[in-house]
Amino acid sequence: MMLKSFIQVHPDSHFPIQNLPYGVFKREPASQPRPGVAIGDYVLDLSLLASAALFDGPFLSNSDCFNQPNLNKFLELGRPAWTEARMTLQKLLSAEESILRDNASLKEKALMPMSQVQMLLPIAIGDYSDFFASKHHAYNCGVMFRGPENAINPNWFHIPIAYHGRASSIVISGTDVIRPRGQGHPAGNSLPYFGPSRKLDFELEMATVVGPGNDLGKPVDVNEAANHIFGLVLMNDWSARDIQAWEYVPLGPFLGKSFATTLSPWIVTLDALEQFALEAPQQNPTPLPYLAEKKSQNYDISLQASIIPAGQKDAHVITRSNFRHLYWTITQQLAHQTINGCNLRPGDLLGTGTISGPEPDSYGCLLELSWNGQKPLSLGGTSRTFLEDGDEVIFTGYCKGDGYNVGFGTCSGKILPSLP
Amino acid sequence: MMLKSFIQVHPDSHFPIQNLPYGVFKREPASQPRPGVAIGDYVLDLSLLASAALFDGPFLSNSDCFNQPNLNKFLELGRPAWTEARMTLQKLLSAEESILRDNASLKEKALMPMSQVQMLLPIAIGDYSDFFASKHHAYNCGVMFRGPENAINPNWFHIPIAYHGRASSIVISGTDVIRPRGQGHPAGNSLPYFGPSRKLDFELEMATVVGPGNDLGKPVDVNEAANHIFGLVLMNDWSARDIQAWEYVPLGPFLGKSFATTLSPWIVTLDALEQFALEAPQQNPTPLPYLAEKKSQNYDISLQASIIPAGQKDAHVITRSNFRHLYWTITQQLAHQTINGCNLRPGDLLGTGTISGPEPDSYGCLLELSWNGQKPLSLGGTSRTFLEDGDEVIFTGYCKGDGYNVGFGTCSGKILPSLP
Ligand SMILES: [Ca+2]
Ligand SMILES: [Ca+2]
Ligand SMILES: [Mg+2]
Ligand SMILES: [Mg+2]
Ligand code: NI
C-alpha cells in the first residue's frame, strides 16, 4: 500500500511523503534560518522536531545539525544519518503515526504554510564546479562555433570536462539577476566594446550537493562516490554569451558566468530519487578505469524551462529535457573531480552542465534553441533570441511515480536592466 | 630618523617594524589559532594586545577582530581600521615607547619566537581567482604552443584574463604536496594515459588578499579598488602541465591546478608596500575606460624561486623575477573581476598569474625555464626539466628599503610521490 501522510498532499504536488527534500527557511525577516523539509504545501521545521527529541535514532539524537543556519553539518554526517532522518520523518508524517499527527500544539508550531516562509540558500558552498556532461549540448555548441566535422573536442570523450565556478554569486531561486556589463568582440579585427551583455542566456542544469568530503590527496573511488552525494537541485547557470565568447580562450569562462547562478531551494535526496534510476547512456570509448563504474546510472527527471516575457503574465514552455540525457554520470563527475587529490567539503556543488536532449525542442539554453540568435523563438505573441530585461526564467523538474511526483519545485529568476 | 623597535631586528630580516605583516598562528597543536604580526624573529599575539586594551583607537577598541581564528573579520573592517592597527602597533613596538617594552609579563606572553609557533592559513578563502597578468609569461607559453606569430591571443591585451581556481586545496607554506595523478595525452591520435603527472611544475606568483567586499551587482571602480585590497602574499600555483594540456580546451585549467596551491603565511599590507610603489608598464592598446586608472602602479618586489633537489641539502636559485613585471595591475584585476557585478567577500584571493620577467633567468615556472622540457636546468650536480619526488620548492620575496627589508618570508612545499 502506498505510503500516505496525515497532511493532505495534492497528487500533482512535488512534495509528497515519498520525497521529503531539505531546505533552509526563515519564518520572518529577522528570524534565524533553520532547516526544514517540504511536505505538500507545508514546511516542517526540523529544529523544532529536534528540540522535541523526535529524532531519536543513534546518529541524530545527540546532534545539533538541525539547529544550524544551513545543512552543512547534516550533510557531513553522511548516509547513515540521512537514512535515519528519512525513516524518522516518514514515520512521523505518516497517516498511521500519532506522535505528530495528534500533537496539535507541535503541529501548529512546526508546520508552516510554504507560502509564508522565505527560502534561503540551503548550504554554505565552499567550492562550485560546473561540468559539461551532456553530449548533445557539447555537440551543438561545437557545431555552432567549429562546424560539424570537429564539433566535439577529442578530450570530451575521455574526461568529464569542467571548470571552477564562482561560489560567491550563487543565489536562491527568486533572486533578481542584474544584466551584466562586460566586453564583447564582434567578428574580425575590430576593437572590443563595453556595455550590457547583448546575449544573455540561461543554462538548464542540475547540481550535485556534496555530503561528506575527502582529505586532500585521497581521491574518492567512483564506486564509492554516491556515498559522498546528498542530493540534487535545479540550477540556472546564467551565461552572457558575448562576454564568454571573447574571454574564454585560453583559461575558460569567467565573467560570462560569475555574475549569478541560481539554485532551487529544495535538495531532493538520492534516497528519494533511487526508484527513478535508470541506466546511463553507453559510453564509447570505454572510460579509463578510474571512471569505470560497476553500476552507471542516471535518473528519469523531466525538466522544463519556461519564460514569462517582460510585461506579460503567462509562462511559455520553451524546452523540455531530461536528466537521463547526461553522458557522464554525477558519480563519474565526482570521482573525476577528486582523482588528482582535490578535496571536497560538505556543501560543495557540482553542476552537471546544460542538459540538452537530442531534439531541438529539448535543448537546454537559448544559444542552442535560437541557434546563436539565428532562429528567434516565438512566445506569447512576441519572440526571443536571448533574454530581454524583465524576462523571467522558470525551471521545474520532477520524477513521475505511481500516484505521486518526486519533484524539485521551481528555480526562477528575473532579469533587471544593467547599471547605467 | 629611522623607526626602530625595542626588539632587535637583524638588518637582513624580512620583518622590521616598517613591515608588520599579519598571519595566524598556533602556540601548540591544541591551541586556538590567533592573529599575530611578525616582528624580527618573533610573533606578536594580537589577541593578547586586544585583551590588554592596547588597541585603543575608535575602530578597534570595541572589536573582537583579533579574537578570531582567521583575519577575515579584521579584513572586513577596511582601511581605517588597518591604518589604526598599523599606527598602534608601530607605536607599541617602537624603541621609544614604554607600554609594551617595559611590561615584562605581557612581553613574555605576547612575543613568541617564530620558530616555536605553527603558522596556519591566515584567511578563510571564499573564492580564489587566478589571473594571467605577466606578458612575458603569456608570450612564452604562446610561443611554445602556438609559435611566435600568434603567441598572445588578441583578447589578452584588452582583458586581465583569469580563471576561477579551487579554494579547498589552498594550503599553507610547508605543507607537502602529493604528486597528482590524472590523464595525459601524447601528441597525435593515441589514447590518453592515466598515472602520476610527468610534468609537475610550480608557478611563481603573488596573490591579492581582498578586504571589504562588494554587493552582488555593484562593481568596484578601478580607482577605488585599492581600498578593497588588504595586502599581498607569495603563492605557488602548482601545475601539472600534462594534465592541464589535455583537459583545458574549452573550459580552462581544472585538475591540472586544483590538487594544491601554496600560500606564504604573512600578509604584507599595501600600507607597508606603498613606499616601494612604481609606475606600472605602459599599456598599449589603451584599456577600456573601466580599466583606465588615474594612477597605475606596481611594487618593486624582488622574487626568487629555489629548489632543494631530492636527497640534497642546499637550495639552488633557479629564477629571479620581480612583481614590477606585471602588465595588468592588481587594481585592474580586482576591478575587472567585479565589472560584471560579481561580488567579492573579505578573504577572497586574486592570484597574479606566473610572474615572468623578460630574461630567461627571470621566467617564473619550469615550463618556461626548461622550455617545456627541452632545456634541462642543472642544479647541484643534477638536472631538472620538471619536479621530481622529494624536490622542495622555496619562494621568497622582499622590497629593499633604506637600511631594512620589507619581506614576505618564504613559501615552500615538498613533492611527495603519488599514491600507488
Ligand atoms: Ca554551465
Ligand atoms: Ca597560475
Ligand atoms: Mg553562472
Ligand atoms: Mg594551483
Ligand atoms: Ni540523449
Side-chain angles (χ1 to χ4, degrees):
Chain A
M1 208 198 66
M2 196 174 88
L3 189 60
K4 284 232 165 206
S5 174
F6 64 83
I7 295 167
Q8 290 289 340
V9 178
H10 191 279
D12 289 341
S13 171
H14 280 195
F15 307 125
I17 193 170
Q18 288 79 7
N19 189 353
L20 302 183
Y22 291 81
V24 166
F25 69 96
K26 275 205 292 198
R27 286 165 186 265
E28 296 178 13
S31 305
Q32 285 292 323
R34 285 291 174 252
V37 299
I39 175 77
D41 296 329
Y42 293 86
V43 176
L44 180 62
D45 185 332
L46 299 183
S47 72
L48 291 184
L49 296 194
S51 299
L54 294 178
F55 289 104
D56 54 3
F59 295 101
L60 295 170
S61 57
N62 289 310
S63 171
D64 64 350
C65 68
F66 295 134
N67 207 16
Q68 301 289 330
N70 57 52
L71 289 166
N72 291 47
K73 202 160 180 179
F74 179 51
L75 301 192
E76 191 168 10
L77 295 178
R79 190 157 306 287
W82 308 338
T83 302
E84 182 178 300
R86 182 170 173 81
M87 287 181 64
T88 302
L89 290 167
Q90 283 194 329
K91 183 175 165 216
L92 286 174
L93 287 167
S94 83
E96 280 78 42
E97 174 60 51
S98 63
I99 305 180
L100 182 59
R101 186 192 66 202
D102 298 345
N103 186 336
S105 88
L106 182 59
K107 261 200 315 194
E108 167 80 27
K109 280 188 291 180
L111 282 163
M112 282 144 297
M114 205 177 273
S115 59
Q116 288 174 28
V117 303
Q118 182 194 355
M119 298 306 297
L120 304 170
L121 272 188
I123 42 177
I125 301 162
D127 278 288
Y128 148 50
S129 308
D130 196 20
F131 283 77
F132 189 45
S134 153
K135 186 163 132 185
H136 308 294
H137 175 62
Y139 178 79
N140 290 333
C141 296
V143 170
M144 263 182 269
F145 297 116
R146 286 182 301 273
E149 296 292 304
N150 307 298
I152 302 187
N153 201 53
N155 62 3
W156 192 91
F157 290 97
H158 299 278
I159 299 178
I161 294 285
Y163 66 98
H164 301 291
R166 180 86 193 174
S168 69
S169 53
I170 297 176
V171 298
I172 193 69
S173 178
T175 306
D176 291 334
V177 172
I178 300 174
R179 179 181 298 272
R181 297 179 306 166
Q183 296 190 32
H185 188 249
N189 283 320
S190 53
L191 287 172
Y193 59 83
F194 175 80
S197 171
R198 301 172 188 178
K199 289 189 175 180
L200 185 55
D201 200 355
F202 64 80
E203 292 195 322
L204 176 58
E205 304 198 21
M206 299 194 75
T208 296
V209 177
V210 173
N214 60 299
D215 290 338
L216 189 60
K218 300 209 174 137
V220 175
D221 186 279
V222 70
N223 293 308
E224 293 294 329
N227 284 330
H228 293 262
I229 299 177
F230 178 64
L232 294 175
V233 290
L234 300 170
M235 182 171 103
N236 186 342
D237 178 24
W238 304 94
S239 299
R241 300 300 183 189
D242 44 353
I243 297 173
Q244 184 184 348
W246 172 231
E247 75 179 353
Y248 88 105
V249 175
L251 300 185
F254 190 56
L255 300 191
K257 300 284 192 175
S258 64
F259 57 96
T261 306
T262 304
L263 300 187
S264 59
W266 296 109
I267 308 173
V268 177
T269 63
L270 284 204
D271 284 340
L273 293 170
E274 187 54 35
Q275 58 171 308
F276 306 100
L278 39 70
E279 227 177 300
Q282 184 83 34
Q283 294 179 328
N284 184 8
T286 305
L288 280 161
Y290 80 91
L291 293 170
E293 310 187 85
K294 287 184 187 135
K295 189 174 75 174
S296 194
Q297 69 179 36
N298 278 339
Y299 300 97
D300 184 10
I301 307 170
S302 299
L303 299 169
Q304 115 184 353
S306 307
I307 293 179
I308 304 176
Q312 298 197 20
K313 294 230 163 111
D314 295 335
H316 299 267
V317 177
I318 55 166
T319 191
R320 290 187 172 85
S321 186
N322 194 301
F323 186 85
R324 66 190 296 170
H325 293 309
L326 288 180
Y327 182 90
W328 294 106
T329 66
I330 55 174
T331 37
Q332 289 177 318
Q333 291 167 31
L334 189 142
H336 182 68
Q337 171 95 60
T338 68
I339 188 61
N340 68 341
C342 180
N343 54 328
L344 296 168
R345 295 177 292 189
D348 281 353
L349 204 67
L350 278 65
T352 57
T354 307
I355 305 176
S356 294
E359 304 298 332
D361 59 0
S362 64
Y363 294 169
C365 62
L366 287 169
L367 178 71
E368 291 168 86
L369 289 164
S370 79
W371 211 253
N372 198 14
Q374 292 173 48
K375 297 185 194 168
L377 279 76
S378 46
L379 61 168
T382 179
S383 76
R384 286 292 181 273
T385 51
F386 291 99
L387 295 170
E388 299 193 0
D389 293 343
D391 286 354
E392 184 173 355
V393 179
I394 304 165
F395 296 169
T396 186
Y398 71 99
C399 306
K400 188 82 214 148
D402 188 6
Y404 59 88
N405 302 316
V406 167
F408 289 80
T410 59
C411 176
S412 71
K414 190 177 184 171
I415 306 301
L416 298 188
S418 270
L419 299 181
Chain B
M1 209 199 65
M2 197 175 90
L3 189 60
K4 284 232 164 207
S5 175
F6 63 84
I7 295 167
Q8 291 289 341
V9 178
H10 191 278
D12 290 340
S13 171
H14 280 196
F15 308 124
I17 193 169
Q18 288 79 7
N19 190 353
L20 302 183
Y22 291 81
V24 166
F25 69 95
K26 275 205 292 197
R27 286 165 185 264
E28 296 179 12
S31 305
Q32 285 292 324
R34 284 292 174 252
V37 298
I39 175 77
D41 295 329
Y42 293 86
V43 177
L44 180 62
D45 185 332
L46 299 182
S47 71
L48 291 184
L49 296 194
S51 299
L54 293 178
F55 290 104
D56 55 2
F59 295 102
L60 294 171
S61 57
N62 290 309
S63 171
D64 63 351
C65 67
F66 294 134
N67 207 16
Q68 301 289 331
N70 57 51
L71 290 165
N72 291 50
K73 202 161 180 180
F74 179 52
L75 301 192
E76 190 169 11
L77 295 177
R79 192 159 303 288
W82 308 338
T83 302
E84 182 177 300
R86 181 172 174 81
M87 289 180 62
T88 302
L89 289 168
Q90 284 194 328
K91 183 175 165 217
L92 287 174
L93 286 167
S94 84
E96 281 77 44
E97 174 61 49
S98 63
I99 305 180
L100 181 59
R101 186 192 64 201
D102 299 346
N103 186 334
S105 89
L106 182 57
K107 263 200 313 194
E108 168 80 26
K109 279 189 290 181
L111 281 163
M112 281 146 299
M114 204 177 273
S115 58
Q116 288 174 27
V117 303
Q118 183 194 355
M119 298 307 297
L120 304 170
L121 272 187
I123 42 176
I125 301 161
D127 278 288
Y128 149 50
S129 307
D130 196 20
F131 283 77
F132 189 45
S134 153
K135 187 163 131 186
H136 309 292
H137 175 62
Y139 177 79
N140 290 333
C141 296
V143 170
M144 262 181 270
F145 297 117
R146 286 182 302 272
E149 296 292 304
N150 306 298
I152 302 187
N153 202 54
N155 61 3
W156 192 90
F157 291 96
H158 300 280
I159 298 177
I161 294 283
Y163 67 98
H164 302 291
R166 180 85 194 174
S168 69
S169 53
I170 297 176
V171 297
I172 192 68
S173 178
T175 307
D176 292 334
V177 172
I178 300 173
R179 178 181 299 272
R181 297 179 305 166
Q183 296 189 33
H185 188 250
N189 283 320
S190 52
L191 288 172
Y193 58 84
F194 175 79
S197 171
R198 301 173 189 179
K199 289 190 175 180
L200 186 55
D201 201 354
F202 64 81
E203 291 195 322
L204 176 58
E205 305 197 21
M206 299 194 74
T208 297
V209 177
V210 173
N214 61 299
D215 291 339
L216 189 61
K218 300 210 174 135
V220 175
D221 186 279
V222 70
N223 294 307
E224 293 293 331
N227 284 330
H228 292 263
I229 298 178
F230 178 63
L232 294 175
V233 290
L234 301 170
M235 182 170 102
N236 186 343
D237 177 24
W238 304 95
S239 298
R241 300 301 182 188
D242 44 352
I243 297 172
Q244 185 184 350
W246 172 231
E247 75 180 352
Y248 87 105
V249 176
L251 300 184
F254 190 56
L255 299 191
K257 300 284 193 178
S258 64
F259 58 96
T261 306
T262 304
L263 300 186
S264 59
W266 295 109
I267 308 174
V268 177
T269 64
L270 284 204
D271 284 340
L273 291 170
E274 187 53 36
Q275 58 171 310
F276 306 100
L278 37 71
E279 227 178 301
Q282 185 82 34
Q283 296 179 327
N284 186 6
T286 304
L288 281 160
Y290 80 90
L291 293 170
E293 311 187 82
K294 288 183 187 138
K295 190 173 74 173
S296 195
Q297 68 180 36
N298 279 338
Y299 301 96
D300 184 9
I301 307 171
S302 298
L303 299 169
Q304 110 184 358
S306 307
I307 293 180
I308 304 177
Q312 298 197 21
K313 293 229 163 112
D314 295 335
H316 299 267
V317 177
I318 56 166
T319 191
R320 289 187 172 85
S321 186
N322 195 300
F323 185 86
R324 67 191 296 169
H325 294 307
L326 289 179
Y327 182 90
W328 294 105
T329 66
I330 55 173
T331 38
Q332 288 177 317
Q333 291 167 30
L334 190 142
H336 182 69
Q337 171 95 60
T338 66
I339 188 60
N340 68 341
C342 180
N343 55 327
L344 296 168
R345 295 176 292 188
D348 281 354
L349 203 68
L350 279 64
T352 58
T354 306
I355 306 177
S356 293
E359 304 299 333
D361 59 0
S362 64
Y363 294 169
C365 61
L366 288 171
L367 178 71
E368 290 167 87
L369 288 163
S370 78
W371 211 253
N372 198 15
Q374 291 172 49
K375 297 185 195 168
L377 279 76
S378 46
L379 62 168
T382 179
S383 75
R384 286 291 181 275
T385 50
F386 291 98
L387 295 171
E388 300 193 0
D389 293 343
D391 285 354
E392 184 172 356
V393 179
I394 305 166
F395 296 169
T396 185
Y398 70 100
C399 306
K400 187 84 214 147
D402 188 6
Y404 59 87
N405 302 315
V406 167
F408 289 79
T410 59
C411 177
S412 71
K414 190 175 184 172
I415 305 302
L416 298 189
S418 272
L419 298 182

